[in-house]
Amino acid sequence: MLAATAAVAPALVREAQGESTSKLKVVITGGHPGDPEYGCGGTILRLTELGHEAVLLYLNQGEPVESAARIIGYRMEEAKKASAILKARPAYVGQIDGNAVVDQLHYVQFREIVEKENPNVVFTHWPIDNHADHRAISMLVYDAWLHMRKQFSLFYYEVSNGEDTQQFTPSDYVDISAIEPKKRLACYAHASQAPDKCYALQDAVARWRGIESGHTRAEAFIRHFQSPRFGLPV
Ligand SMILES: [Zn+2]
């Protein structure tokens, strides 16, 4: 746990860029299995290859409650495969696909999950998004961040721009050119979710963010200005 944000910020920057062996905890939240992988799979891999610990925390299992258990099981197997490729651990909040609840009870339940993980850095959906599950987890993360006294670095990511994420203007970029094939594998591990269509859109965004930042491909983020500085791999 970070005690004082200003004091620890330089160390975090050095550690994230591989200048230290100390391990950081990174939690990447998403409305559904696949969202963290599509939005920031390259960045997750770059962080885990530096030795940092990553948890993919999904709001739900990707299927509505009336789905057969075998379908839910299939989605969870896909998430397990994707997480393994990114050297991350999958975890679930336990809400229902398409029926996200944001109220006081769920704020408290979610905060307890985040406090238990005790992250240095959290990624979540940008809140202006057409999918209610994405907006929900963004609000849950923000509330946890406030109640935990803004102790972890908070980054927002983009996914399925135009269809989901809207009006996203990045503050940070991560070069994913070299590890894009592994990111692609992680996204395609979600074989039931039309990866040909979804990945084509996300890859177009990665190429555009690459043009903006001077790379072949990049992932882009918005860091909350009041959260501790964290040096993403450049
Ligand atoms: Zn989603």
Short mmCIF file of all heavy atoms in Angstrom, two decimals, residues 149-171:
data_model
loop_
_atom_site.label_atom_id
_atom_site.label_comp_id
_atom_site.label_asym_id
_atom_site.label_seq_id
_atom_site.Cartn_x
_atom_site.Cartn_y
_atom_site.Cartn_z
N ARG A 149 -8.43 6.56 -0.39
CA ARG A 149 -7.64 7.79 -0.30
C ARG A 149 -6.70 7.97 -1.49
O ARG A 149 -5.56 8.38 -1.35
CB ARG A 149 -6.87 7.84 1.03
CG ARG A 149 -7.77 7.70 2.25
CD ARG A 149 -7.06 8.01 3.57
NE ARG A 149 -5.79 7.33 3.69
CZ ARG A 149 -5.63 6.05 4.06
NH1 ARG A 149 -6.71 5.31 4.31
NH2 ARG A 149 -4.44 5.53 4.17
N LYS A 150 -7.17 7.57 -2.68
CA LYS A 150 -6.44 7.79 -3.94
C LYS A 150 -5.03 7.20 -3.89
O LYS A 150 -4.09 7.77 -4.43
CB LYS A 150 -6.38 9.29 -4.25
CG LYS A 150 -7.75 9.97 -4.23
CD LYS A 150 -7.65 11.47 -4.45
CE LYS A 150 -9.01 12.13 -4.33
NZ LYS A 150 -8.96 13.59 -4.47
N GLN A 151 -4.91 6.05 -3.23
CA GLN A 151 -3.58 5.49 -2.99
C GLN A 151 -2.99 4.78 -4.19
O GLN A 151 -1.78 4.59 -4.26
CB GLN A 151 -3.63 4.53 -1.79
CG GLN A 151 -3.83 5.26 -0.48
CD GLN A 151 -4.09 4.30 0.66
OE1 GLN A 151 -4.59 3.21 0.46
NE2 GLN A 151 -3.74 4.71 1.86
N PHE A 152 -3.83 4.28 -5.09
CA PHE A 152 -3.27 3.59 -6.26
C PHE A 152 -3.38 4.49 -7.49
O PHE A 152 -4.22 5.38 -7.57
CB PHE A 152 -3.95 2.23 -6.49
CG PHE A 152 -5.46 2.26 -6.60
CD1 PHE A 152 -6.08 2.65 -7.78
CD2 PHE A 152 -6.26 1.87 -5.53
CE1 PHE A 152 -7.47 2.64 -7.89
CE2 PHE A 152 -7.64 1.85 -5.62
CZ PHE A 152 -8.25 2.25 -6.81
N SER A 153 -2.47 4.23 -8.44
CA SER A 153 -2.52 4.96 -9.71
C SER A 153 -3.75 4.49 -10.48
O SER A 153 -4.00 3.29 -10.57
CB SER A 153 -1.26 4.69 -10.53
OG SER A 153 -0.13 5.14 -9.84
N LEU A 154 -4.49 5.42 -11.03
CA LEU A 154 -5.74 5.11 -11.71
C LEU A 154 -5.65 5.50 -13.18
O LEU A 154 -5.44 6.67 -13.51
CB LEU A 154 -6.90 5.86 -11.03
CG LEU A 154 -8.28 5.73 -11.68
CD1 LEU A 154 -8.73 4.28 -11.77
CD2 LEU A 154 -9.30 6.56 -10.89
N PHE A 155 -5.79 4.49 -14.05
CA PHE A 155 -5.75 4.71 -15.49
C PHE A 155 -7.06 4.24 -16.13
O PHE A 155 -7.63 3.22 -15.73
CB PHE A 155 -4.61 3.92 -16.14
CG PHE A 155 -3.24 4.47 -15.87
CD1 PHE A 155 -2.50 4.01 -14.79
CD2 PHE A 155 -2.68 5.43 -16.70
CE1 PHE A 155 -1.22 4.51 -14.54
CE2 PHE A 155 -1.42 5.94 -16.45
CZ PHE A 155 -0.68 5.48 -15.37
N TYR A 156 -7.50 4.99 -17.15
CA TYR A 156 -8.67 4.59 -17.94
C TYR A 156 -8.20 4.10 -19.30
O TYR A 156 -7.26 4.65 -19.87
CB TYR A 156 -9.62 5.77 -18.13
CG TYR A 156 -10.25 6.22 -16.84
CD1 TYR A 156 -9.73 7.29 -16.12
CD2 TYR A 156 -11.36 5.56 -16.31
CE1 TYR A 156 -10.29 7.70 -14.92
CE2 TYR A 156 -11.94 5.96 -15.11
CZ TYR A 156 -11.40 7.02 -14.43
OH TYR A 156 -11.96 7.41 -13.24
N TYR A 157 -8.89 3.05 -19.81
CA TYR A 157 -8.54 2.54 -21.15
C TYR A 157 -9.75 2.60 -22.07
O TYR A 157 -10.87 2.85 -21.63
CB TYR A 157 -7.95 1.13 -21.06
CG TYR A 157 -8.87 0.03 -20.59
CD1 TYR A 157 -9.74 -0.60 -21.47
CD2 TYR A 157 -8.84 -0.42 -19.28
CE1 TYR A 157 -10.56 -1.64 -21.06
CE2 TYR A 157 -9.65 -1.47 -18.85
CZ TYR A 157 -10.52 -2.07 -19.74
OH TYR A 157 -11.33 -3.10 -19.32
N GLU A 158 -9.48 2.37 -23.34
CA GLU A 158 -10.53 2.43 -24.37
C GLU A 158 -10.74 1.05 -24.97
O GLU A 158 -9.80 0.27 -25.09
CB GLU A 158 -10.13 3.43 -25.46
CG GLU A 158 -8.76 3.13 -26.08
CD GLU A 158 -8.27 4.21 -27.04
OE1 GLU A 158 -9.09 5.03 -27.49
OE2 GLU A 158 -7.07 4.22 -27.34
N VAL A 159 -11.97 0.76 -25.35
CA VAL A 159 -12.27 -0.54 -25.96
C VAL A 159 -13.43 -0.37 -26.95
O VAL A 159 -14.39 0.35 -26.69
CB VAL A 159 -12.58 -1.60 -24.87
CG1 VAL A 159 -13.90 -1.32 -24.17
CG2 VAL A 159 -12.56 -3.00 -25.43
N SER A 160 -13.28 -1.01 -28.12
CA SER A 160 -14.31 -0.95 -29.17
C SER A 160 -14.79 0.49 -29.39
O SER A 160 -15.99 0.78 -29.32
CB SER A 160 -15.50 -1.86 -28.82
OG SER A 160 -15.10 -3.20 -28.78
N ASN A 161 -13.84 1.35 -29.70
CA ASN A 161 -14.16 2.79 -29.85
C ASN A 161 -15.29 3.01 -30.83
O ASN A 161 -15.37 2.36 -31.87
CB ASN A 161 -12.91 3.53 -30.31
CG ASN A 161 -11.78 3.39 -29.33
OD1 ASN A 161 -11.43 2.28 -28.94
ND2 ASN A 161 -11.23 4.50 -28.90
N GLY A 162 -16.15 3.94 -30.50
CA GLY A 162 -17.31 4.23 -31.34
C GLY A 162 -18.48 3.36 -30.95
O GLY A 162 -19.57 3.86 -30.70
N GLU A 163 -18.24 2.04 -30.86
CA GLU A 163 -19.32 1.15 -30.41
C GLU A 163 -19.50 1.26 -28.89
O GLU A 163 -20.60 1.26 -28.39
CB GLU A 163 -19.00 -0.30 -30.78
CG GLU A 163 -19.02 -0.55 -32.28
CD GLU A 163 -18.72 -2.00 -32.63
OE1 GLU A 163 -18.62 -2.84 -31.71
OE2 GLU A 163 -18.58 -2.28 -33.82
N ASP A 164 -18.37 1.30 -28.16
CA ASP A 164 -18.44 1.35 -26.70
C ASP A 164 -17.83 2.67 -26.19
O ASP A 164 -18.54 3.57 -25.79
CB ASP A 164 -17.75 0.14 -26.07
CG ASP A 164 -18.52 -1.16 -26.33
OD1 ASP A 164 -19.74 -1.08 -26.60
OD2 ASP A 164 -17.92 -2.23 -26.29
N THR A 165 -16.49 2.75 -26.16
CA THR A 165 -15.84 3.97 -25.67
C THR A 165 -16.14 5.17 -26.56
O THR A 165 -16.12 5.08 -27.78
CB THR A 165 -14.31 3.76 -25.62
OG1 THR A 165 -14.02 2.70 -24.71
CG2 THR A 165 -13.59 5.02 -25.14
N GLN A 166 -16.41 6.30 -25.91
CA GLN A 166 -16.68 7.56 -26.61
C GLN A 166 -15.76 8.65 -26.06
O GLN A 166 -15.45 8.67 -24.88
CB GLN A 166 -18.13 8.02 -26.37
CG GLN A 166 -19.19 6.96 -26.58
CD GLN A 166 -19.53 6.76 -28.04
OE1 GLN A 166 -19.71 7.74 -28.75
NE2 GLN A 166 -19.59 5.52 -28.47
N GLN A 167 -15.40 9.59 -26.94
CA GLN A 167 -14.71 10.83 -26.53
C GLN A 167 -13.50 10.57 -25.63
O GLN A 167 -13.42 11.06 -24.50
CB GLN A 167 -15.70 11.77 -25.83
CG GLN A 167 -16.78 12.26 -26.76
CD GLN A 167 -17.72 13.25 -26.12
OE1 GLN A 167 -18.93 13.17 -26.24
NE2 GLN A 167 -17.16 14.21 -25.40
N PHE A 168 -12.57 9.81 -26.14
CA PHE A 168 -11.40 9.40 -25.36
C PHE A 168 -10.17 10.17 -25.87
O PHE A 168 -9.80 10.05 -27.03
CB PHE A 168 -11.18 7.90 -25.51
CG PHE A 168 -10.14 7.31 -24.58
CD1 PHE A 168 -10.48 6.89 -23.30
CD2 PHE A 168 -8.82 7.16 -25.00
CE1 PHE A 168 -9.53 6.34 -22.46
CE2 PHE A 168 -7.87 6.60 -24.16
CZ PHE A 168 -8.22 6.19 -22.88
N THR A 169 -9.57 10.95 -25.01
CA THR A 169 -8.39 11.75 -25.39
C THR A 169 -7.23 11.35 -24.48
O THR A 169 -7.19 11.72 -23.30
CB THR A 169 -8.67 13.25 -25.23
OG1 THR A 169 -9.84 13.58 -26.01
CG2 THR A 169 -7.49 14.07 -25.72
N PRO A 170 -6.28 10.55 -24.98
CA PRO A 170 -5.26 9.94 -24.12
C PRO A 170 -4.28 10.93 -23.50
O PRO A 170 -4.00 11.99 -24.05
CB PRO A 170 -4.50 9.01 -25.08
CG PRO A 170 -5.36 8.86 -26.27
CD PRO A 170 -6.16 10.11 -26.38
N SER A 171 -3.74 10.51 -22.34
CA SER A 171 -2.64 11.23 -21.72
C SER A 171 -1.35 10.42 -21.76
O SER A 171 -0.26 10.97 -21.61
CB SER A 171 -2.97 11.56 -20.26
OG SER A 171 -3.13 10.37 -19.49
#
